[in-house]
């Protein structure tokens, strides 16, 4: 049994509970034990865009809490992943680490650096092992799906380094091992535009609509690896597109859960906003 | 950049570029070739008044007011594709972070969203409101309760770093 410190992140914990539910169900069935990090807060990334110091302090505070556990830190969200990996890379500079630790001392905390931060996709592909994972598959899903890699699971590439940002083959592999066919489409690498929702609704809707219209009719579902991307497509699609144009959006862990033979009730599908009924029916009808 | 209208010497702040460069991440503004890979890669350039390439040029020209009051710096989603593809390591996405931070510090208009998220952070420790319904829902699903971190110390840390009291 592997034990990991679990950083849940704001979006999975509050808006995208089906990601947390399905990730936990999948990891439990694979024998990975999670321990929620006590005292965790927002990873800080949203504040990165207006206050470098607020961001670095928040990110380092969570890193310091995780370091106390002595285990690697697991994240579900690509935003949290970027936040922590960038923070760890920056606090390797002594002067930045010193100023951060002065602020953390308010709470009696100290960040050391060197913590291992793992995204759930990285855990499954690199650490659990993609071949070993493929052997656990009990139901070949036989769906046509569109992979949405998203940005911060691969970028900035010199800090993340998990997969090739231009052609993220590891993510494709994780999807294909469930027995799905991953379709190619023009806007695959495009950003979900989540941060735009609070600034320019129309621009955000048009980004979402462009991707969905690109895969409509060819894909049974869009697959995401980040709760923010999921929220963006699943929620914004309903404002941007007519019901007949909408495509279900599944967290990767929901797709994997089905392939591992877990019952759909355990994967939080009732939280998906665009109906997933057709996807589930198609799997049931597969011999 | 015809849309900039007539510019005079008064529009130029000779210290602007060095202010932008005072950022804890390495930025190579002077290395920019104006090749446009950044703007061509940008998923949201269609909604910007200045593309990332043009923003770098505004910095070089010292056009502070234009750069800090434009819409483009808030449209950027921070996806990092421009920095990953830049052939000269100019780091446009971090230049935009520096511009936003300067705009915030200098009192330019900042989208409400950021202030609201900070308000939530200081009340709940998360960027969203966490009420009893959130936790009831989590309990129904066998998920642990979301407890706020130590809000007193979080507030002190943010007071030391967040540019504005609102």
């Amino acid at each position: 049994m592997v034990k990991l410190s679990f950083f849940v992140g704001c979006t999975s914990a509050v808006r995208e509970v089906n990601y947390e539910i399905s990730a936990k169900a999948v990891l439990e069935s694979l024998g990975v034990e999670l321990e929620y990090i006590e005292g965790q807060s927002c990873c800080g990334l949203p504040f990165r865009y207006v206050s470098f110091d607020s961001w670095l302090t928040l990110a380092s505070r969570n890193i310091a809490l995780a370091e106390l556990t002595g285990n690697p830190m697991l994240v579900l969200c690509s935003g949290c992943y970027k936040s922590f990996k960038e923070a760890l890379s920056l606090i390797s500079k002594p002067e930045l680490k010193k100023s951060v630790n002065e602020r953390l001392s308010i709470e009696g905390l100290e960040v050391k650096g060197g913590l291992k931060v793992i995204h759930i996709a990285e855990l499954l592909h690199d650490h659990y092992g993609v071949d070993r994972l493929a052997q656990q598959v009990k139901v070949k899903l036989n769906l046509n799906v569109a992979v949405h890699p998203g940005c911060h699971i691969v970028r900035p590439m010199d800090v993340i380094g998990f997969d090739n940002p231009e052609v993220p083959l590891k993510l494709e592999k994780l999807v294909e091992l469930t027995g799905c066919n991953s379709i190619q489409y023009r806007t695959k690498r495009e950003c979900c535009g989540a941060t735009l929702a609070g600034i320019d609704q129309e621009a955000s809707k048009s980004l979402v609509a462009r991707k969905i219209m690109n895969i409509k009719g060819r894909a049974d579902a869009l697959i995401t690896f980040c709760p923010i991307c999921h929220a963006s497509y699943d929620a914004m699609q309903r404002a941007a597109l007519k019901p007949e144009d909408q495509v279900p959006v599944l967290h990767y862990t929901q797709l994997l859960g089905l392939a591992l033979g877990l019952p759909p009730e355990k994967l939080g599908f009732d939280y998906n906003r665009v109906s997933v009924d057709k996807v589930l029916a198609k799997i049931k009808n597969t011999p | 950049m015809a849309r900039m209208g007539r510019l005079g010497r008064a529009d130029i702040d000779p210290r602007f570029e060095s202010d932008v460069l005072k950022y804890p991440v390495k930025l190579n503004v002077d290395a920019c070739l104006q090749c446009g890979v950044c703007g061509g890669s940008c998923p949201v350039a269609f909604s910007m008044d200045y593309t990332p390439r043009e923003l770098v040029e505004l910095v070089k020209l010292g056009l502070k007011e234009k750069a800090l009051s434009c819409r483009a710096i808030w449209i950027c989603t921070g996806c990092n594709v421009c920095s990953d593809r830049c052939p000269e390591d100019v780091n446009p996405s971090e230049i935009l972070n520096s511009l936003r931070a300067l705009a915030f510090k200098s009192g330019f208009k900042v989208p409400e969203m950021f202030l609201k998220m900070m308000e939530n952070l200081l009340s709940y420790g998360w960027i969203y409101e966490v009420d009893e319904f959130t936790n009831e829902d989590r309990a129904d699903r066998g998920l642990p309760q979301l407890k706020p971190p130590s809000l007193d110390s979080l507030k002190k840390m943010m007071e030391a770093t967040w540019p504005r009291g609102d």
Side-chain angles (χ1 to χ4, degrees):
Chain A
M1 191 81 125
V2 191
K3 198 168 184 180
L4 294 168
S5 293
F6 184 41
F7 183 83
V8 59
C10 302
T11 306
S12 308
V14 180
R15 287 190 66 198
E16 293 287 325
V17 201
N18 45 2
Y19 195 20
E20 189 182 346
I21 292 171
S22 56
K24 282 186 74 179
V26 160
L27 294 180
E28 192 183 321
S29 84
L30 297 174
V32 179
E33 196 189 330
L34 299 181
E35 187 183 8
Y36 283 76
I37 298 165
E38 281 293 322
Q40 59 179 287
S41 69
C42 163
C43 76
L45 191 68
F47 306 107
R48 172 90 160 89
Y49 305 112
V50 280
S51 167
F52 180 90
D53 291 332
S54 298
W55 158 68
L56 191 62
T57 306
L58 285 167
S60 303
R61 184 186 167 277
N62 287 304
I63 292 171
L65 291 169
E67 282 174 349
L68 290 175
T69 68
N71 295 320
M73 180 207 256
L74 178 78
V75 296
L76 301 181
C77 172
S78 305
C80 303
Y81 192 42
K82 165 186 150 107
S83 183
F84 296 137
K85 291 201 84 157
E86 276 195 327
L88 281 160
S89 142
L90 284 163
I91 56 168
S92 63
K93 296 181 190 168
E95 67 278 18
L96 273 180
K97 187 179 185 173
K98 191 168 163 257
S99 65
V100 161
N101 273 330
E102 271 165 26
R103 295 192 284 273
L104 295 188
S105 70
I106 295 171
E107 204 178 336
L109 291 170
E110 187 194 355
V111 69
K112 298 199 168 57
L115 175 76
K116 194 146 182 50
V117 178
I118 307 171
H119 187 283
I120 187 162
E122 181 192 344
L123 174 76
L124 294 168
H125 190 286
D126 293 359
H127 302 279
Y128 187 86
V130 70
D131 296 329
R132 196 169 143 215
L133 187 60
Q135 286 162 16
Q136 305 296 321
V137 168
K138 299 198 172 60
V139 188
K140 290 272 176 202
L141 300 179
N142 285 321
L143 300 168
N144 288 310
V145 298
V147 174
H148 167 70
C151 304
H152 297 139
I153 196 166
V154 284
R155 296 185 194 282
M157 61 182 175
D158 54 343
V159 177
I160 304 289
F162 159 58
D163 203 354
N164 182 332
E166 300 295 342
V167 193
L169 288 178
K170 289 185 183 177
L171 301 180
E172 296 282 335
K173 237 178 155 177
L174 283 172
V175 166
E176 281 168 351
L177 67 83
T178 64
C180 289
N181 168 42
S182 164
I183 67 157
Q184 297 309 316
Y185 64 99
R186 197 163 48 82
T187 50
K188 183 174 272 194
R189 287 174 307 196
E190 261 189 17
C191 171
C192 73
T195 57
L196 267 181
I199 292 164
D200 181 347
Q201 277 269 340
E202 287 313 306
S204 157
K205 274 194 221 166
S206 78
L207 266 184
V208 168
R210 187 155 60 172
K211 184 166 289 219
I212 300 298
M213 292 312 275
N214 240 242
I215 63 168
K216 189 197 140 199
R218 292 197 292 142
D220 298 305
L222 181 72
I223 309 299
T224 61
F225 293 87
C226 168
I228 306 175
C229 299
H230 191 275
S232 196
Y233 291 113
D234 201 25
M236 194 59 83
Q237 230 190 115
R238 302 208 306 168
L241 294 168
K242 288 181 265 169
E244 61 270 28
D245 288 335
Q246 295 173 11
V247 175
V249 191
L250 269 60
H251 295 287
Y252 174 67
T253 45
Q254 291 184 310
L255 186 80
L256 179 63
L258 292 172
L260 294 176
L262 300 176
E265 310 81 77
K266 283 202 152 177
L267 299 169
F269 282 109
D270 49 330
Y271 282 96
N272 290 55
R273 300 168 186 92
V274 174
S275 168
V276 293
D277 293 351
K278 276 189 192 160
V279 176
L280 296 180
K282 206 165 167 181
I283 292 166
K284 228 183 243 167
N285 295 335
T286 306
Chain B
M1 290 191 224
R3 83 207 83 131
M4 292 207 295
R6 286 178 74 86
L7 294 167
R9 195 166 290 181
D11 296 304
I12 295 172
D13 179 343
R15 281 165 317 204
F16 184 45
E17 180 173 338
S18 61
D19 287 345
V20 173
L21 292 177
K22 267 183 228 134
Y23 194 69
V25 180
K26 181 127 177 64
L27 313 172
N28 295 311
V29 173
D30 284 337
C32 177
L33 302 167
Q34 289 288 299
C35 72
V37 162
C38 49
S41 302
C42 177
V44 289
F46 70 91
S47 175
M48 288 177 161
D49 44 2
Y50 296 101
T51 65
R53 174 184 67 82
E54 290 170 330
L55 283 166
V56 177
E57 198 57 17
L58 291 184
V59 173
K60 280 189 179 178
L61 293 171
L63 295 171
K64 178 177 175 177
E65 189 74 25
K66 295 270 174 213
L68 299 189
S69 61
C70 76
R71 164 189 161 81
I73 57 173
W74 302 110
I75 292 299
C76 164
T77 63
C79 77
N80 293 103
V81 67
C82 55
S83 289
D84 274 359
R85 289 185 184 166
C86 175
E88 292 294 322
D89 268 333
V90 171
N91 214 348
S93 78
E94 292 292 349
I95 291 174
L96 264 78
N97 280 339
S98 177
L99 288 175
R100 284 184 284 233
L102 271 178
F104 191 31
K105 231 189 293 184
S106 327
F108 284 82
K109 202 168 160 25
V110 164
E112 261 318 286
M113 177 177 94
F114 292 103
L115 310 177
K116 182 71 197 156
M117 288 192 294
M118 181 47 74
E119 199 184 307
N120 283 342
L121 179 85
L122 296 176
S123 313
Y124 310 103
W126 313 85
I127 59 164
Y128 307 113
E129 200 179 323
V130 176
D131 54 23
E132 68 266 37
F133 300 111
T134 316
N135 272 324
E136 260 175 39
D137 209 25
R138 291 181 58 85
D140 286 347
R141 294 309 177 112
L143 300 174
Q145 300 287 289
L146 293 181
K147 282 175 274 177
S150 160
L151 293 175
D152 269 357
S153 23
L154 202 62
K155 192 161 179 233
K156 284 186 192 135
M157 288 178 205
M158 291 302 105
E159 270 166 4
T161 54
W162 190 244
R164 272 189 255 169
D166 47 7

